[in-house]
Amino acid sequence: MSVREFAAHLGVNDAAVSNWERRGIEAKLRYETQQILDTELARSEPDVIARFEFILQPEAENNPVGTGTIPNQPVTSEPDLGLRSRRRTMALLDTATTVLMEAPYRVDDAAVATFRQFLTSTTRAFVIAGGVGSGKTCLSQHLVRECRETVNFQLHLCQTWVLPTTDLATEVLRYASLPSGDDALLTLERVVGALESPCVVVIDGISSAEHLSFVGRQVDGILRQTDSHHLRFVLVVRTPPDLDLSPFPILAASTFGHISASPAASYTLAPWTMTETREWWDRTRREREIPFSHLPGPLQSLASIPLYSQMLHSAGEPLQEGLPDGPANGFRLVDHCVRTVLSRNAQPIEPSIESLIQVARALDPNAIPPSLTTAYQKTDYRAEPPQPTPLFVERDPDGGIRFAHDIFRVYFLATWISDRLAETGRSAATVIAFNELAVRASQSAAARNVFDFVVCALDSRAHHLIELIALAPSITMDVALPMLLETMATNGVLAEDAIRSSAHRCAQSQALIKAVLATPGLPEILGDKHAPWVVDQLRTHGSQIWPSIARHVEEVLNVEISTRIVSCIDLDSPAEAAFLARYFDLFTNAGHDPFGLLHRLVHALDWRVRAALAESLPGRGTLSPTQVNSLIEQLAGDYDYKVRAGLARAVSALDIDASRRVLRLLLTDNNWHVREQALQSVATGRQNPVPDPAVTGEVLAIISADKSWLRPPVHVAKLITRIHLLSGTTTPDPSFRENSGLIGLLKEVRSGWITLPPESEQVLVRCGQESSHWLLAREAEAVRRRRESGTPSIQEWYRRRRGSRSLQVALDVHSLDRAAEIARVAVEAGVDFIEVGDPLIKREGVAAIEAIKQCAPDTAVVAEMMSADWGRDQVELAAEAGADVILLIGPASMASVSTAVAAARRLGVALTLDATPEHATPAWLRDMERAGIDGFVVTTNIDLGVGSNHPLPTAAAARRYSQLPVAVSGGFSPGDDALSSDEWDIAIIGRSIADAVAPADTAGQLATLARKIRAKEHL
């Protein structure tokens, strides 16, 4: 092709191609331009690609970018993905421009520090989340610049991909100009295996459920296929809605920070505080711009969003003095900026906006509510992009166009939708369209931004429609109306009749009452009905809305209003009194207690009221020291141990002097549970795991002076050991080190649950290494080498069993000797898991777990723990005895599951859950995924004999609705045809092996079964 033909083929101008040809390798290509060229190369014939690689080879030999592939010659080593990626990324950063970034970037030091921690960890994914305009892209680019000396990066934008057909493995290889071969994933696995330093793939632009689902599945697949910790991912995700990674098991388990809670972001960008906003504005403002203190209040709030702060900087002094005719919100700011830019560039404003609206509709037709959609043909702007193009739109990799910042797409879509709603007017069709818009907004961050802008646009252009929609009987109470109220509250939109109507409809939806409570000025809008209404909601919805009511009272900050609420509450009702006790500081203080509230609460008949006061009392600054001390003494002497335990749990929130006084009372309590809770409060802090020396000294002095502490219960002795070890003091009895206090602490360090000063960690490791207890020595060595090994966490390792066709032998026997014999034979046969069954644990205790682990130190040991309650305790007992995986059978509540998951994360073990046919529903499985379960187990009731249901249908349902591994136990034998099914990931073999007469028979059966499974894997 000629230069002109090639330029036309790519959709670029002739001068650009001529410039590339003239400058050669010195040419600086924009990211989008490079994407266009990569796409064209990928679409070329194989001989063209081979010729291209061959031409580049001489250059590559003299350049440290990597090695190419010479056609028809053997490859002696894998090309360096990292170095090839580095060169391209540096070129992209050199040419990168950020829309409206006139002021310098404000560095988020906390984000940089967190990212550096990620790079030194063994996790493989880092998730940045934040709302529109929060600075996610700027942060990701800053992290690349900050760390590029030691880390290689790739920069991808998922919005440029054709999601149903794009393959992420191919994109990663293409970025480094590497061919994908017949199977891109296998090629990537091979190339990644040759990496000697980190290569971090940054994927920006994840702004919808569709984007997250696609990227999540693709990254999950790559992490599952590749073992190297040198290949890592950074996902940049726009919120709300809240981020949920649980559908992607490997990604969730590999995400930095995941042990703290259910899978979420590694770092979330929040709006700047007013102090940060003021400091940054005044430091970066130009001479003609006004000081931050002179900005109108609403604009000061807008300036806390980085993008809007940049827009205000760009708009100049006239806009900084205030937006005319209405509240200041994001839509009106963007609207002003768009019109100003068009005017400055001598463009006709309304025709230009209409043209760009058509572009927005063409690029995102799904953003339009279906009921508003008319016959519409997507316009192809590849050949004839609309004007103006310099600021609002730019080329994408395929030669089409996109908006320079997504906020412009949101603005133009919202403008069109609000105009159509205004045209439709007072009709059922308007409400239907609004409901449709809200449903999509509840599933996509990008759609939520459109929804917010639509509401703001209606407020500016058709305010009456907002109240009409809110008052409509057909508006959805659980989605559209709460979302409308939230948008009104955050954007300065006021519709009093709509708020009053919503307040009367709250019985139908907790989401609605939370939105109403968050409405500014609610007491003034409801008037005398406000306090009775609040108490009525408290009675109707109970403790689930306590935090929302408390937040509402705190934001109102009016003593008269809080007093009226107290006057409406029935203090003889335990539920209502417990609410006041939990948040007493919002209703009373040192100089204001008109109802004698504190006296009535501390003497309430129901222990729950007194316990709520005990747990909330420490750390509240509204009472005088004299009042606090008096209440503490009364609560510490309460006749109900549960109240005293509530106070004990809050000891760490007291100041040092108060803590020491309370500890003298609680550590000499007549109930070991109260004592345990006091020690827990002192010794198990996560953010500051090393207790205060003064408090530690007081605790140890009390313990040494009280003879009742000479023989504490085992679970309490663990805490004493923990305090000694963390404080660096010696234990009076060296055998204390041999209990599970040390091994639990070592496990918390290894899992990353706590971070100790290096010297403290070294002390723990040395104690473990010097122990005669083999399990302690093993754990200490694992802590010492945890950063050297680069092995995945046990949660990630277990989740990778999905599709692996693994074998688990259940030791369902009553003799520990017999169990050990079978375990040794199973290890020789190459099984993946050995399960210590519930009968053996009941007979021998958790010591059976440790004994089997000692027989099979390099094989994963599963502990079967049956309990309808005490999930956390079950996990702790099994983990500290050496279990790698814990099967929890029969937890009675979500609370029990949640505490068990937290314990598993803390101690670094995988947690699986029994899935009965009644439980294996899509909703239950998703709830368990979100809770953090690592897998499911389908068992068969052996007491039912031939009348029992076969487990495979239940396993099939679990695998259909979840991506976690599913283990199946069903009385299988080596010759069972059920093992040829695809509906299981882990086959549990029990009696057919455990009851074999001789170990040799057992070995033969295992070998036969192993061969059968492996043969199926390789078909």
Side-chain angles (χ1 to χ4, degrees), residues 387-408:
Q387 296 295 329
T389 58
L391 179 61
F392 299 122
V393 296
E394 59 187 15
R395 288 282 183 183
D396 68 22
D398 291 323
I401 62 170
R402 69 179 183 202
F403 285 97
H405 194 287
D406 197 55
I407 198 70
F408 298 125

PDB file of all heavy atoms in Angstrom, residues 387-408:
ATOM      1  N   GLN A 387     -17.736  17.061  14.589  1.00  0.00           N
ATOM      2  CA  GLN A 387     -17.004  18.198  15.135  1.00  0.00           C
ATOM      3  C   GLN A 387     -17.813  18.750  16.307  1.00  0.00           C
ATOM      4  O   GLN A 387     -19.036  18.711  16.299  1.00  0.00           O
ATOM      5  CB  GLN A 387     -16.824  19.270  14.057  1.00  0.00           C
ATOM      6  CG  GLN A 387     -15.970  18.835  12.885  1.00  0.00           C
ATOM      7  CD  GLN A 387     -14.538  18.575  13.280  1.00  0.00           C
ATOM      8  OE1 GLN A 387     -14.018  19.210  14.190  1.00  0.00           O
ATOM      9  NE2 GLN A 387     -13.899  17.637  12.599  1.00  0.00           N
ATOM     10  N   PRO A 388     -17.156  19.245  17.331  1.00  0.00           N
ATOM     11  CA  PRO A 388     -15.713  19.381  17.481  1.00  0.00           C
ATOM     12  C   PRO A 388     -15.093  18.108  18.069  1.00  0.00           C
ATOM     13  O   PRO A 388     -15.686  17.466  18.903  1.00  0.00           O
ATOM     14  CB  PRO A 388     -15.583  20.526  18.485  1.00  0.00           C
ATOM     15  CG  PRO A 388     -16.805  20.386  19.353  1.00  0.00           C
ATOM     16  CD  PRO A 388     -17.884  19.853  18.471  1.00  0.00           C
ATOM     17  N   THR A 389     -13.885  17.767  17.651  1.00  0.00           N
ATOM     18  CA  THR A 389     -13.207  16.568  18.149  1.00  0.00           C
ATOM     19  C   THR A 389     -12.075  16.813  19.121  1.00  0.00           C
ATOM     20  O   THR A 389     -11.711  15.889  19.821  1.00  0.00           O
ATOM     21  CB  THR A 389     -12.657  15.753  16.969  1.00  0.00           C
ATOM     22  OG1 THR A 389     -11.761  16.563  16.220  1.00  0.00           O
ATOM     23  CG2 THR A 389     -13.775  15.275  16.090  1.00  0.00           C
ATOM     24  N   PRO A 390     -11.443  18.008  19.201  1.00  0.00           N
ATOM     25  CA  PRO A 390     -10.205  18.117  19.969  1.00  0.00           C
ATOM     26  C   PRO A 390     -10.342  17.752  21.439  1.00  0.00           C
ATOM     27  O   PRO A 390      -9.458  17.123  22.000  1.00  0.00           O
ATOM     28  CB  PRO A 390      -9.823  19.591  19.809  1.00  0.00           C
ATOM     29  CG  PRO A 390     -10.513  20.037  18.576  1.00  0.00           C
ATOM     30  CD  PRO A 390     -11.780  19.264  18.522  1.00  0.00           C
ATOM     31  N   LEU A 391     -11.449  18.113  22.100  1.00  0.00           N
ATOM     32  CA  LEU A 391     -11.531  17.876  23.536  1.00  0.00           C
ATOM     33  C   LEU A 391     -12.468  16.733  23.880  1.00  0.00           C
ATOM     34  O   LEU A 391     -12.148  15.876  24.678  1.00  0.00           O
ATOM     35  CB  LEU A 391     -11.998  19.148  24.244  1.00  0.00           C
ATOM     36  CG  LEU A 391     -12.141  19.014  25.766  1.00  0.00           C
ATOM     37  CD1 LEU A 391     -10.808  18.674  26.398  1.00  0.00           C
ATOM     38  CD2 LEU A 391     -12.703  20.292  26.360  1.00  0.00           C
ATOM     39  N   PHE A 392     -13.628  16.707  23.245  1.00  0.00           N
ATOM     40  CA  PHE A 392     -14.664  15.793  23.702  1.00  0.00           C
ATOM     41  C   PHE A 392     -14.524  14.367  23.173  1.00  0.00           C
ATOM     42  O   PHE A 392     -14.915  13.421  23.851  1.00  0.00           O
ATOM     43  CB  PHE A 392     -16.046  16.344  23.331  1.00  0.00           C
ATOM     44  CG  PHE A 392     -16.340  17.665  23.968  1.00  0.00           C
ATOM     45  CD1 PHE A 392     -16.635  18.776  23.200  1.00  0.00           C
ATOM     46  CD2 PHE A 392     -16.306  17.807  25.345  1.00  0.00           C
ATOM     47  CE1 PHE A 392     -16.896  19.999  23.795  1.00  0.00           C
ATOM     48  CE2 PHE A 392     -16.560  19.025  25.947  1.00  0.00           C
ATOM     49  CZ  PHE A 392     -16.862  20.124  25.167  1.00  0.00           C
ATOM     50  N   VAL A 393     -14.033  14.171  21.976  1.00  0.00           N
ATOM     51  CA  VAL A 393     -13.922  12.829  21.416  1.00  0.00           C
ATOM     52  C   VAL A 393     -12.532  12.616  20.853  1.00  0.00           C
ATOM     53  O   VAL A 393     -11.813  13.560  20.548  1.00  0.00           O
ATOM     54  CB  VAL A 393     -14.978  12.570  20.314  1.00  0.00           C
ATOM     55  CG1 VAL A 393     -16.376  12.627  20.872  1.00  0.00           C
ATOM     56  CG2 VAL A 393     -14.808  13.559  19.173  1.00  0.00           C
ATOM     57  N   GLU A 394     -12.175  11.322  20.725  1.00  0.00           N
ATOM     58  CA  GLU A 394     -10.876  10.958  20.181  1.00  0.00           C
ATOM     59  C   GLU A 394     -10.984   9.595  19.527  1.00  0.00           C
ATOM     60  O   GLU A 394     -11.988   8.898  19.669  1.00  0.00           O
ATOM     61  CB  GLU A 394      -9.825  10.942  21.290  1.00  0.00           C
ATOM     62  CG  GLU A 394     -10.143   9.965  22.405  1.00  0.00           C
ATOM     63  CD  GLU A 394      -9.201  10.078  23.584  1.00  0.00           C
ATOM     64  OE1 GLU A 394      -8.480  11.079  23.677  1.00  0.00           O
ATOM     65  OE2 GLU A 394      -9.203   9.163  24.422  1.00  0.00           O
ATOM     66  N   ARG A 395      -9.952   9.211  18.823  1.00  0.00           N
ATOM     67  CA  ARG A 395      -9.935   7.923  18.132  1.00  0.00           C
ATOM     68  C   ARG A 395      -9.764   6.759  19.106  1.00  0.00           C
ATOM     69  O   ARG A 395      -9.018   6.851  20.070  1.00  0.00           O
ATOM     70  CB  ARG A 395      -8.778   7.875  17.134  1.00  0.00           C
ATOM     71  CG  ARG A 395      -8.987   8.746  15.913  1.00  0.00           C
ATOM     72  CD  ARG A 395      -9.920   8.085  14.956  1.00  0.00           C
ATOM     73  NE  ARG A 395     -10.089   8.874  13.742  1.00  0.00           N
ATOM     74  CZ  ARG A 395     -10.900   8.542  12.756  1.00  0.00           C
ATOM     75  NH1 ARG A 395     -11.606   7.441  12.848  1.00  0.00           N
ATOM     76  NH2 ARG A 395     -11.007   9.302  11.691  1.00  0.00           N
ATOM     77  N   ASP A 396     -10.461   5.655  18.814  1.00  0.00           N
ATOM     78  CA  ASP A 396     -10.211   4.442  19.585  1.00  0.00           C
ATOM     79  C   ASP A 396      -9.354   3.501  18.737  1.00  0.00           C
ATOM     80  O   ASP A 396      -9.072   3.784  17.566  1.00  0.00           O
ATOM     81  CB  ASP A 396     -11.529   3.785  20.032  1.00  0.00           C
ATOM     82  CG  ASP A 396     -12.336   3.212  18.885  1.00  0.00           C
ATOM     83  OD1 ASP A 396     -11.764   2.931  17.805  1.00  0.00           O
ATOM     84  OD2 ASP A 396     -13.549   3.019  19.064  1.00  0.00           O
ATOM     85  N   PRO A 397      -8.898   2.373  19.288  1.00  0.00           N
ATOM     86  CA  PRO A 397      -7.957   1.512  18.561  1.00  0.00           C
ATOM     87  C   PRO A 397      -8.491   0.951  17.253  1.00  0.00           C
ATOM     88  O   PRO A 397      -7.717   0.621  16.362  1.00  0.00           O
ATOM     89  CB  PRO A 397      -7.682   0.378  19.552  1.00  0.00           C
ATOM     90  CG  PRO A 397      -7.954   0.970  20.877  1.00  0.00           C
ATOM     91  CD  PRO A 397      -9.070   1.937  20.669  1.00  0.00           C
ATOM     92  N   ASP A 398      -9.800   0.820  17.125  1.00  0.00           N
ATOM     93  CA  ASP A 398     -10.366   0.261  15.904  1.00  0.00           C
ATOM     94  C   ASP A 398     -10.672   1.316  14.855  1.00  0.00           C
ATOM     95  O   ASP A 398     -11.305   1.022  13.831  1.00  0.00           O
ATOM     96  CB  ASP A 398     -11.654  -0.514  16.228  1.00  0.00           C
ATOM     97  CG  ASP A 398     -11.365  -1.780  17.005  1.00  0.00           C
ATOM     98  OD1 ASP A 398     -10.341  -2.404  16.722  1.00  0.00           O
ATOM     99  OD2 ASP A 398     -12.150  -2.122  17.906  1.00  0.00           O
ATOM    100  N   GLY A 399     -10.262   2.527  15.102  1.00  0.00           N
ATOM    101  CA  GLY A 399     -10.494   3.577  14.126  1.00  0.00           C
ATOM    102  C   GLY A 399     -11.780   4.335  14.337  1.00  0.00           C
ATOM    103  O   GLY A 399     -12.062   5.291  13.621  1.00  0.00           O
ATOM    104  N   GLY A 400     -12.618   3.906  15.295  1.00  0.00           N
ATOM    105  CA  GLY A 400     -13.823   4.637  15.614  1.00  0.00           C
ATOM    106  C   GLY A 400     -13.503   5.774  16.561  1.00  0.00           C
ATOM    107  O   GLY A 400     -12.365   6.214  16.670  1.00  0.00           O
ATOM    108  N   ILE A 401     -14.514   6.255  17.268  1.00  0.00           N
ATOM    109  CA  ILE A 401     -14.276   7.354  18.194  1.00  0.00           C
ATOM    110  C   ILE A 401     -14.817   6.991  19.565  1.00  0.00           C
ATOM    111  O   ILE A 401     -15.638   6.086  19.721  1.00  0.00           O
ATOM    112  CB  ILE A 401     -14.917   8.665  17.710  1.00  0.00           C
ATOM    113  CG1 ILE A 401     -16.434   8.501  17.607  1.00  0.00           C
ATOM    114  CG2 ILE A 401     -14.327   9.126  16.406  1.00  0.00           C
ATOM    115  CD1 ILE A 401     -17.145   9.802  17.362  1.00  0.00           C
ATOM    116  N   ARG A 402     -14.325   7.710  20.563  1.00  0.00           N
ATOM    117  CA  ARG A 402     -14.818   7.588  21.923  1.00  0.00           C
ATOM    118  C   ARG A 402     -14.663   8.946  22.580  1.00  0.00           C
ATOM    119  O   ARG A 402     -13.960   9.824  22.065  1.00  0.00           O
ATOM    120  CB  ARG A 402     -14.038   6.518  22.678  1.00  0.00           C
ATOM    121  CG  ARG A 402     -12.612   6.920  22.954  1.00  0.00           C
ATOM    122  CD  ARG A 402     -11.866   5.857  23.720  1.00  0.00           C
ATOM    123  NE  ARG A 402     -10.515   6.299  24.025  1.00  0.00           N
ATOM    124  CZ  ARG A 402      -9.516   5.484  24.297  1.00  0.00           C
ATOM    125  NH1 ARG A 402      -9.711   4.187  24.266  1.00  0.00           N
ATOM    126  NH2 ARG A 402      -8.318   5.963  24.587  1.00  0.00           N
ATOM    127  N   PHE A 403     -15.271   9.111  23.736  1.00  0.00           N
ATOM    128  CA  PHE A 403     -15.161  10.377  24.442  1.00  0.00           C
ATOM    129  C   PHE A 403     -13.837  10.453  25.183  1.00  0.00           C
ATOM    130  O   PHE A 403     -13.338   9.456  25.704  1.00  0.00           O
ATOM    131  CB  PHE A 403     -16.333  10.555  25.405  1.00  0.00           C
ATOM    132  CG  PHE A 403     -17.618  10.892  24.706  1.00  0.00           C
ATOM    133  CD1 PHE A 403     -18.544   9.908  24.402  1.00  0.00           C
ATOM    134  CD2 PHE A 403     -17.876  12.202  24.321  1.00  0.00           C
ATOM    135  CE1 PHE A 403     -19.711  10.219  23.743  1.00  0.00           C
ATOM    136  CE2 PHE A 403     -19.049  12.519  23.644  1.00  0.00           C
ATOM    137  CZ  PHE A 403     -19.973  11.520  23.350  1.00  0.00           C
ATOM    138  N   ALA A 404     -13.286  11.666  25.238  1.00  0.00           N
ATOM    139  CA  ALA A 404     -11.978  11.865  25.857  1.00  0.00           C
ATOM    140  C   ALA A 404     -12.024  11.552  27.351  1.00  0.00           C
ATOM    141  O   ALA A 404     -11.045  11.119  27.928  1.00  0.00           O
ATOM    142  CB  ALA A 404     -11.507  13.307  25.634  1.00  0.00           C
ATOM    143  N   HIS A 405     -13.160  11.775  27.980  1.00  0.00           N
ATOM    144  CA  HIS A 405     -13.389  11.329  29.358  1.00  0.00           C
ATOM    145  C   HIS A 405     -14.821  10.831  29.440  1.00  0.00           C
ATOM    146  O   HIS A 405     -15.734  11.395  28.838  1.00  0.00           O
ATOM    147  CB  HIS A 405     -13.167  12.465  30.364  1.00  0.00           C
ATOM    148  CG  HIS A 405     -13.071  11.974  31.793  1.00  0.00           C
ATOM    149  ND1 HIS A 405     -14.168  11.536  32.492  1.00  0.00           N
ATOM    150  CD2 HIS A 405     -12.007  11.841  32.626  1.00  0.00           C
ATOM    151  CE1 HIS A 405     -13.788  11.150  33.710  1.00  0.00           C
ATOM    152  NE2 HIS A 405     -12.485  11.336  33.810  1.00  0.00           N
ATOM    153  N   ASP A 406     -15.029   9.774  30.185  1.00  0.00           N
ATOM    154  CA  ASP A 406     -16.356   9.158  30.222  1.00  0.00           C
ATOM    155  C   ASP A 406     -17.409  10.088  30.791  1.00  0.00           C
ATOM    156  O   ASP A 406     -18.602   9.892  30.553  1.00  0.00           O
ATOM    157  CB  ASP A 406     -16.297   7.860  31.042  1.00  0.00           C
ATOM    158  CG  ASP A 406     -17.501   6.973  30.767  1.00  0.00           C
ATOM    159  OD1 ASP A 406     -17.739   6.652  29.584  1.00  0.00           O
ATOM    160  OD2 ASP A 406     -18.209   6.614  31.735  1.00  0.00           O
ATOM    161  N   ILE A 407     -17.004  11.110  31.534  1.00  0.00           N
ATOM    162  CA  ILE A 407     -17.986  12.031  32.089  1.00  0.00           C
ATOM    163  C   ILE A 407     -18.760  12.739  30.979  1.00  0.00           C
ATOM    164  O   ILE A 407     -19.939  13.096  31.151  1.00  0.00           O
ATOM    165  CB  ILE A 407     -17.294  13.062  33.018  1.00  0.00           C
ATOM    166  CG1 ILE A 407     -18.323  13.733  33.934  1.00  0.00           C
ATOM    167  CG2 ILE A 407     -16.541  14.102  32.212  1.00  0.00           C
ATOM    168  CD1 ILE A 407     -18.874  12.830  34.986  1.00  0.00           C
ATOM    169  N   PHE A 408     -18.127  12.914  29.815  1.00  0.00           N
ATOM    170  CA  PHE A 408     -18.831  13.558  28.702  1.00  0.00           C
ATOM    171  C   PHE A 408     -19.871  12.622  28.104  1.00  0.00           C
ATOM    172  O   PHE A 408     -20.966  13.053  27.744  1.00  0.00           O
ATOM    173  CB  PHE A 408     -17.834  14.010  27.636  1.00  0.00           C
ATOM    174  CG  PHE A 408     -16.853  15.031  28.139  1.00  0.00           C
ATOM    175  CD1 PHE A 408     -15.489  14.819  28.029  1.00  0.00           C
ATOM    176  CD2 PHE A 408     -17.301  16.199  28.735  1.00  0.00           C
ATOM    177  CE1 PHE A 408     -14.588  15.755  28.499  1.00  0.00           C
ATOM    178  CE2 PHE A 408     -16.404  17.145  29.212  1.00  0.00           C
ATOM    179  CZ  PHE A 408     -15.040  16.922  29.101  1.00  0.00           C
TER     180      PHE A 408
END
